[in-house]
Amino acid sequence: MLVLALVFALLVAVGTPVAIAMIASSGFVIWQEGIPLSLVAQRIFAGLQSFPLLAVPLFTLAGSLMNESGISERLFAFTRAIVGHIRGGLAQTAIIGNVFLSGISGSSIADTAATTRVLVPQLERSGYSRAFGAALSASAGTLGPIIPPSILMVLYAWQANVSLGALFIAGLIPGVVMAGAMATVIMILARIRNYPTSGAFRASVLWATFKRAIWALLMPVIIIVGFRLGAVTATEIAGIAALYSALIGIFVYRTLKWSSLPHILTTTARETAVILMIAGAASPFSWILGIEQAPQLVVQTLTAVSSEAWVILLILNVALLIVGMFVETIAVMIILVPILLPLLTTLQIDLVHFGIVLLVNLVIGQLTPPVGVLLFVSITIAKVTMGQILREVWPFFLGLIMALALITYLPGLSIWLPHVLGF
Amino acid sequence: MPASWLVRLDDGLGYAEDLFLGVAHAIIAGLVIAAVFFRYVVSDPLVWSEEFIVIVFTWMLFIGLSSGFRARMHLRIDALLVVLPGRWRGFLGVLAVIATLVTLLCLAWFGTQLCMTMYRSPTPMMRISSAWAIAAVPAGAVLSCIHILRHAICDGLNRTLWPDDLIGAAEEEAV
């Protein structure tokens, strides 16, 4: 196991793509043990032969089609009509808008990019600093993978063998808790910095913007109802979501052109391949970790520290936050979940609850340097420096840590709703 | 000049891969929706569809692996790279490219062996040779090597796997 970890760490450190580093390190160990190397190719291939994983390209496609239809502008106009009139209202628009935007796209990167593009210029015109706008957009983007649909949830459900429907529903309340924490941060900042309101509340504007956004707002409803009815699989729901997005974009909003479809299909296919190749490469990697009894070692080490679930969750949270600072989100999840599963089962920690805790940790990791991908996206688009955004992002980081504590220690926030809805 | 035919080959393959990825993704989405329609509306399920979709999906992923190398999109951990001076980054680039090429060539070799072994074993529903699906593994690996070689020869080893501006890469991913 030490050899596997060393070779992997070395390759990753020199900048080898994560998927290749996983294949190479597991291949090296298998070669050392004298096992035929075709096993590596066989396990990668078998790992990817999975119908549930097809939900990844299809949900990505649905999100991309909606994005291309200019849905983010419509959603932000609608949320501005709801909260714009309160102090700091335009900043609140970013948070509430992302609650809705996350219900369409499954990716925090896409959401942050859309929020930065649409809202930072508006925020700057209203007197907020550009760095604050960038920090706000990056923070609001963390809601993407927590509120369904979510690519990370598809991967976690596949790895931990839990119901994707239950996981999707479980993310709803924690998503709202995170949004609430960030909204509270804005309320405090708005009072201290005397942020402006943006216009009076007008029911007519609210109604007009609602009508323009309604078709997009219906998409999460379709997904959740689809899961609740249980007649179709997660992959089929993702397919229906993609079809719905295409039809709305082309025939209702008329902003999606037929000619842009080939490009969207190609880029989303490539993005999916890059993500899922890590999942495939993880298959021989976790096979070795399994036969070398790494999960049992984790159980023994951590249960020797404490047998209390809350202590272990605290340790895991701190460890995940630190790992998340340095390592890319999907890689952390794919490597760690198989190792942690036996520990969670031993301590009787609900796997759906842990899935949400893990994802919240990982999205917070996307907001911390040096590998905070959401910070990079936001500073690149908003054209501010890392130093400037870091000075503005920390209050949101603290808010999200408080939300993480609540989500970790009140499991009901995650598992109550799926339970009530019969998942 | 050897590089010019490599560039032409690489551009041609890149174009074909983009086309393949788009068509494969459209087939997958179309068949998943058609399967729902046939099962619930026509009550005559497409029994072969799931197996066929998974084969197309496998090809899409491995051609996507290759296309990801062409676009320098593969996920890597930049923590060390962003803090190192350019000269060191160049040195690490050499190591990363060698490790990647060796791994991909092994994957192509052992993937081909696996194809030969599984050649006579039919798939459960469509009864075609399993090699049709497994062949995606060596194909994707060989195509990846061609893209890596092109970048290595034309742009230098320190820009083969990563874009010049590591931070700008985040925006490319976002777009």
Side-chain angles (χ1 to χ4, degrees):
Chain A
M1 193 164 69
L2 194 64
V3 180
L4 181 78
L6 273 178
V7 176
F8 176 69
L10 192 73
L11 289 173
V12 160
V14 302
T16 314
V18 175
I20 296 294
M22 290 172 101
I23 298 172
S25 51
S26 43
F28 184 75
V29 173
I30 284 176
W31 170 72
Q32 259 198 333
E33 299 282 330
I35 305 168
L37 271 169
S38 55
L39 182 84
V40 178
Q42 193 270 335
R43 289 213 72 92
I44 298 170
F45 171 74
L48 292 171
Q49 293 278 295
S50 155
F51 197 71
L53 277 185
L54 274 155
V56 175
L58 296 176
F59 275 130
T60 311
L61 179 62
S64 257
L65 289 167
M66 277 285 185
N67 207 7
E68 187 76 18
S69 310
I71 198 58
S72 38
E73 285 88 351
R74 289 167 192 263
L75 286 176
F76 287 128
F78 170 58
T79 42
R80 190 173 177 168
I82 304 175
V83 292
H85 62 283
I86 61 174
R87 184 166 295 284
L90 192 55
Q92 299 287 11
T93 302
I95 305 296
I96 315 290
N98 263 281
V99 172
F100 295 127
L101 198 58
S102 307
I104 292 161
S105 122
S107 146
S108 52
I109 296 178
D111 291 356
T112 297
T115 312
T116 315
R117 275 202 195 94
V118 177
L119 279 187
V120 169
Q122 293 184 28
L123 284 161
E124 211 178 5
R125 277 199 300 276
S126 305
Y128 297 83
S129 79
R130 185 179 271 261
F132 173 79
L136 172 68
S137 305
S139 311
T142 56
L143 295 172
I146 309 298
I147 295 177
S150 156
I151 304 303
L152 289 178
M153 282 185 188
V154 176
L155 289 170
Y156 178 83
W158 171 69
Q159 282 193 295
N161 201 17
V162 296
S163 149
L164 181 60
L167 203 58
F168 271 15
I169 306 287
L172 284 172
I173 296 178
V176 172
V177 169
M178 287 165 71
M182 290 187 280
T184 311
V185 169
I186 296 173
M187 271 157 61
I188 297 168
L189 290 177
R191 200 156 281 262
I192 298 171
R193 298 177 179 176
N194 203 15
Y195 281 145
T197 62
S198 52
F201 177 79
R202 279 167 48 204
S204 59
V205 177
L206 181 65
W207 178 240
T209 51
F210 173 73
K211 276 194 297 187
R212 291 183 67 226
I214 178 69
W215 294 104
L217 293 169
L218 276 177
M219 181 140 126
V221 178
I222 292 172
I223 292 170
I224 288 166
V225 170
F227 272 113
R228 185 63 197 88
L229 292 176
V232 282
T233 64
T235 300
E236 289 167 344
I237 291 173
I240 293 166
L243 177 68
Y244 178 78
S245 308
L247 293 177
I248 295 299
I250 293 171
F251 297 111
V252 181
Y253 290 154
R254 297 185 186 182
T255 38
L256 181 64
K257 294 185 186 67
W258 283 101
S259 57
S260 47
L261 286 183
H263 177 70
I264 296 174
L265 283 163
T266 302
T267 46
T268 46
R270 192 186 298 123
E271 277 167 31
T272 305
V274 166
I275 292 172
L276 290 185
M277 218 22 91
I278 300 182
S283 182
F285 195 83
S286 354
W287 182 75
I288 296 172
L289 287 175
I291 54 170
E292 303 219 358
Q293 306 214 314
Q296 288 80 349
L297 191 70
V298 172
V299 174
Q300 281 165 13
T301 315
L302 283 181
T303 49
V305 178
S306 170
S307 56
E308 298 281 342
W310 74 269
V311 180
I312 301 290
L313 280 172
L314 181 67
I315 296 172
L316 287 179
N317 270 340
V318 174
L320 284 168
L321 282 173
I322 295 172
V323 173
M325 283 173 72
F326 297 97
V327 186
E328 205 281 327
T329 314
I330 291 163
V332 179
M333 202 175 92
I334 285 175
I335 297 170
L336 285 188
V337 169
I339 300 178
L340 292 179
L341 282 180
L343 175 73
L344 303 171
T345 320
T346 311
L347 295 170
Q348 295 179 324
I349 295 171
D350 186 275
L351 290 183
V352 169
H353 172 224
F354 181 74
I356 302 297
V357 172
L358 173 75
L359 292 190
V360 176
N361 265 297
L362 295 180
V363 291
I364 295 177
Q366 293 186 327
L367 205 60
T368 49
V371 201
V373 64
L374 299 184
L375 295 179
F376 284 126
V377 169
S378 192
I379 63 173
T380 316
I381 300 172
K383 306 218 164 23
V384 295
T385 65
M386 186 53 103
Q388 287 171 323
I389 199 173
L390 286 179
R391 274 195 289 280
E392 292 287 355
V393 86
W394 66 266
F396 293 104
F397 175 79
L398 288 184
L400 286 171
I401 294 286
M402 284 179 195
L404 171 65
L406 284 176
I407 293 162
T408 307
Y409 290 113
L410 298 174
L413 291 176
S414 313
I415 51 185
W416 174 75
L417 198 56
H419 183 73
V420 169
L421 291 175
F423 279 93
Chain B
M1 188 180 160
S4 70
W5 66 260
L6 182 64
V7 169
R8 276 208 302 279
L9 172 71
D10 186 73
D11 285 342
L13 288 173
Y15 178 78
E17 283 173 357
D18 284 355
L19 193 67
F20 179 88
L21 288 175
V23 172
H25 203 173
I27 290 175
I28 289 170
L31 272 179
V32 165
I33 295 160
V36 177
F37 179 80
F38 276 91
R39 186 147 35 102
Y40 295 103
V41 183
V42 186
S43 293
D44 180 18
L46 302 173
V47 283
W48 51 270
S49 69
E50 189 166 313
E51 190 175 288
F52 182 72
I53 292 169
V54 171
I55 294 177
V56 177
F57 179 54
T58 311
W59 273 93
M60 184 180 99
L61 294 182
F62 281 91
I63 297 300
L65 165 81
S66 158
S67 184
F69 277 110
R70 191 173 142 82
R72 298 185 174 96
M73 258 181 67
H74 281 288
L75 299 174
R76 62 202 165 253
I77 292 162
D78 294 344
L80 188 60
L81 296 175
V82 289
V83 295
L84 282 180
R87 199 157 44 91
W88 272 93
R89 207 189 280 181
F91 174 66
L92 296 188
V94 178
L95 295 180
V97 171
I98 293 172
T100 306
L101 276 177
V102 170
T103 309
L104 287 167
L105 287 172
C106 288
L107 199 60
W109 176 257
F110 292 104
T112 311
Q113 277 193 349
L114 191 65
C115 266
M116 312 270 229
T117 321
M118 300 296 286
Y119 182 69
R120 292 198 186 283
S121 123
T123 62
M125 295 304 298
M126 295 193 298
R127 313 299 298 168
I128 57 169
S129 165
S130 300
W132 279 108
I134 302 169
V137 181
V142 169
L143 289 169
S144 302
C145 290
I146 297 173
H147 296 318
I148 293 172
L149 273 182
R150 186 250 169 103
H151 286 323
I153 290 172
C154 297
D155 306 325
L157 285 165
N158 57 342
R159 276 183 291 172
T160 301
L161 297 174
W162 328 302
D164 214 12
D165 172 14
L166 285 166
I167 293 170
E171 192 193 17
E172 272 174 43
E173 281 171 31
V175 179

